[in-house]
Amino acid sequence: MIPKIIHFCWLSNDEYPKSIKKYIDSWKKKLPDYELRLWNTERFDVNSTTWTQQAFEAKQYAFAADYIRLHAVYTHGGIYLDMDVEVLKKFDDLLDLPYFIGVQFDNDVEAAIFGAEKGADWLQTCLNYYDGRSFIKEDGSFDQETLPIIMQTQIEKKRKIIHLKSDEVGNIRNLIKNEDSLFLFPYEYFSPKNHQTRKISKSKKTYTIHYYNHSWFSLTNVLRLEIIKLIGLNTTEKIIGFFNLRKLRSMLKKSK
């Protein structure tokens, strides 16, 4: 059984934005008998891993939270929610499953909403990615690989990822017994918002809406993630590298 615990992260000392408060209110309204468990610097020692220490010190809180969310659900069991997720209905009919996780509108793994029993092996596989890993690269730049990509890559080392069709969800309790595979719910269940067009295609099956607000990101990070979604990580890094090089050349010219 998945315990009735909602894990969420907020690592800065800033007050919650109004939009975040609104989403949390939806959790309280729809999930009155669930424990809301905040992961901050009092609950989690950010110095316990190189990754979280460096990300936190760089004020790249979302990347520290990438690790913490996996750790929280793996260690305690429960459900993780990003703070820009609205809850539309209870998860009660999913709690007898060993886990639940879905896809975003573009079929990438949805890392903003997932639930699992304590000690889920696929979460351990995701955590392994961070073993001894630095957030700050040798060249001083940040390792900003997105969590959906990390999760998919890591999970595929141990399990076959299968995207469920809507008519297959009703058979999930039989399918999920296959421990060689990981089954992802269709986007309409947890993430019906198209993060490019901003259109929301919710239905009676929708439990949550991920709004992709990135309220805790810097403007630079928000823009970077949006560009990655459009043209991919490698092309984005090349463009950023090109403009950084132009900036350096401009500075050198001014110094002469």
Side-chain angles (χ1 to χ4, degrees), residues 104-106 108 193-199 212 226 229:
Q104 302 177 45
F105 202 91
D106 56 8
D108 284 344
K193 182 175 180 177
N194 184 323
H195 50 65
Q196 295 178 8
T197 66
R198 305 299 178 183
K199 181 181 178 181
Y212 301 97
E226 291 301 320
K229 292 170 187 174

Side-chain angles (χ1 to χ4, degrees), residues 7 19 30 49 65 72 91 113 145 147 152 163 177 217 228:
H7 301 281
S19 59
K30 299 296 183 179
T49 76
F91 301 105
I113 309 103
E145 184 74 280
L147 187 57
Q152 177 145 337
H163 293 238
K177 293 175 183 177
F217 274 19
I228 287 173

Side-chain angles (χ1 to χ4, degrees), residues 1-5 34 73 76-79 91 94-100 114-118:
M1 290 286 292
I2 299 172
K4 290 185 175 183
I5 305 172
Y34 285 57
V73 179
H76 300 275
I79 300 162
F91 301 105
L94 301 175
L95 299 181
D96 65 312
L97 299 173
Y99 66 84
F100 65 83
F114 61 87
E117 295 175 333
K118 176 181 177 180

Side-chain angles (χ1 to χ4, degrees), residues 52-63:
T52 52
Q53 178 186 21
Q54 292 182 347
F56 180 79
E57 290 178 352
K59 296 185 179 181
Q60 299 290 307
Y61 303 124
F63 291 96

Side-chain angles (χ1 to χ4, degrees), residues 76-219:
H76 300 275
I79 300 162
Y80 172 79
L81 296 180
D82 265 2
M83 294 184 71
D84 57 349
V85 170
E86 179 184 9
V87 172
L88 301 185
K89 65 177 182 177
K90 285 189 172 186
F91 301 105
D92 289 18
D93 59 342
L94 301 175
L95 299 181
D96 65 312
L97 299 173
Y99 66 84
F100 65 83
I101 186 169
V103 297
Q104 302 177 45
F105 202 91
D106 56 8
N107 282 327
D108 284 344
V109 173
E110 177 54 271
I113 309 103
F114 61 87
E117 295 175 333
K118 176 181 177 180
D121 66 323
W122 58 275
L123 286 175
Q124 177 64 74
T125 300
C126 294
L127 284 168
N128 290 343
Y129 172 86
Y130 296 94
D131 287 349
R133 181 176 291 271
S134 295
F135 176 67
I136 301 176
K137 299 179 182 180
E138 291 185 0
D139 63 3
S141 63
F142 298 148
D143 184 352
Q144 295 182 315
E145 184 74 280
T146 59
L147 187 57
I149 294 174
I150 293 170
M151 291 181 72
Q152 177 145 337
T153 302
Q154 289 299 110
I155 292 168
E156 286 179 336
K157 292 180 179 180
K158 298 289 185 179
R159 295 190 181 207
K160 180 180 180 181
I161 292 179
I162 296 178
H163 293 238
L164 292 170
K165 297 178 181 178
S166 292
D167 60 358
E168 295 175 318
V169 173
N171 195 35
I172 184 62
R173 283 163 180 78
N174 290 322
L175 294 172
I176 212 166
K177 293 175 183 177
N178 178 0
E179 296 182 357
D180 293 328
S181 301
L182 189 95
F183 297 90
L184 304 181
F185 282 72
Y187 70 85
E188 65 181 311
Y189 281 78
F190 306 115
S191 193
K193 182 175 180 177
N194 184 323
H195 50 65
Q196 295 178 8
T197 66
R198 305 299 178 183
K199 181 181 178 181
I200 297 174
S201 303
K202 67 179 180 179
S203 70
K204 293 181 179 179
K205 301 174 182 178
T206 304
Y207 289 84
T208 59
I209 300 173
H210 182 200
Y211 285 95
Y212 301 97
N213 286 352
H214 304 305
S215 303
W216 52 92
F217 274 19
S218 68
L219 177 59

